[in-house]
Amino acid sequence: MLFSFEHFTTCAFAGVLQVSGMRVYTSGDVEAVNGTDVRLKCTFDSSAKINPELVIVSWTFKPLSGGRVDSIFHYQQKPYLPPDGIFKKRVHWAGDIMGSDASIILREVKFIYNGTYTCQVTNPPDVHGPVGEIRLRVVKTASFNELLYLVLAIGGGIAAVVFCLIVIVSCRRCKRKHRQRQLEGDEEVPRKERKDPTAW
């Protein structure tokens, strides 16, 4: 389920009410298995036209155990990855500014990645407002629901393949039977005797 964080500013001019705002959507609570990759989804909706030259994306991280908030990613015309720290070479840009996507991917997550991640997007004149939050929980093994989804996905894929094979085999059998019937029909039709053109 996506959570929306909205900010609106209003002003009255010449009797007309103008509204501007930035909406940021995140996936809320996310669970990932230790050592796997996880996508931290963050999308946005701005009342102003998106200008890729001006849009700024900032991601921060606060450990579950508490402590200071650290900046782990910055985007301004191009992605700026963390040069050091626990997220060095672990954060990858997965967004698309023109597609209103500010997502990132964490590679090979560790237990120390447990905590709260915030996604902030500005698109002038939409430069103020709350940020989107994601609470990441790194676990040893996948939860029952995730395992169930995985089993269903694999089972569905296998069932689709088996169904396609059955259809292909059935079509081939039908074609063979049709050809066989045609051959049998041709054999049953008596051959017409050819007339002798010299016999008059």
Side-chain angles (χ1 to χ4, degrees):
M1 182 175 64
L2 297 180
F3 295 84
S4 171
F5 300 84
E6 301 182 6
H7 170 72
F8 295 96
T9 58
T10 61
C11 62
F13 179 75
V16 178
L17 183 65
Q18 297 180 344
V19 180
S20 64
M22 172 68 75
R23 299 182 181 89
V24 178
Y25 304 91
T26 56
S27 47
D29 295 328
V30 176
E31 184 178 284
V33 178
N34 181 43
T36 63
D37 299 343
V38 62
R39 179 186 179 94
L40 301 184
K41 187 175 182 179
C42 176
T43 58
F44 60 93
D45 183 15
S46 176
S47 62
K49 183 178 179 180
I50 297 178
N51 186 340
E53 302 295 324
L54 300 178
V55 172
I56 297 176
V57 177
S58 299
W59 279 88
T60 62
F61 167 70
K62 183 177 181 179
L64 183 63
S65 58
R68 69 177 187 178
V69 176
D70 292 325
S71 175
I72 64 170
F73 179 84
H74 184 80
Y75 182 98
Q76 189 171 5
Q77 298 186 15
K78 67 177 183 178
Y80 293 89
L81 307 178
D84 51 28
I86 62 174
F87 290 100
K88 182 179 179 180
K89 296 183 179 180
R90 296 300 181 93
V91 181
H92 294 263
W93 173 243
D96 176 16
I97 295 299
M98 296 308 297
S100 301
D101 191 348
S103 304
I104 61 174
I105 292 178
L106 299 182
R107 302 289 188 189
E108 300 177 359
V109 296
K110 306 176 181 179
F111 292 112
I112 56 176
Y113 290 0
N114 280 319
T116 301
Y117 295 78
T118 61
C119 171
Q120 184 177 24
V121 183
T122 61
N123 178 46
D126 294 340
V127 295
H128 300 292
V131 297
E133 289 189 353
I134 295 178
R135 292 168 295 277
L136 176 64
R137 187 167 70 98
V138 181
V139 297
K140 291 183 179 181
T141 57
S143 64
F144 175 77
N145 288 336
E146 290 182 337
L147 291 174
L148 179 60
Y149 294 149
L150 180 61
V151 170
L152 291 176
I154 295 175
I158 294 175
V161 172
V162 172
F163 177 77
C164 291
L165 291 175
I166 292 175
V167 171
I168 293 172
V169 172
S170 299
C171 290
R172 289 181 176 179
R173 287 182 177 178
C174 289
K175 288 182 179 179
R176 289 177 181 175
K177 288 182 179 180
H178 182 68
R179 290 178 182 176
Q180 186 176 359
R181 289 176 182 175
Q182 285 183 333
L183 292 174
E184 292 176 353
D186 292 340
E187 291 177 355
E188 291 177 357
V189 175
R191 296 180 179 180
K192 293 182 178 180
E193 294 182 357
R194 297 180 60 184
K195 294 183 178 180
D196 185 1
T198 60
W200 288 95

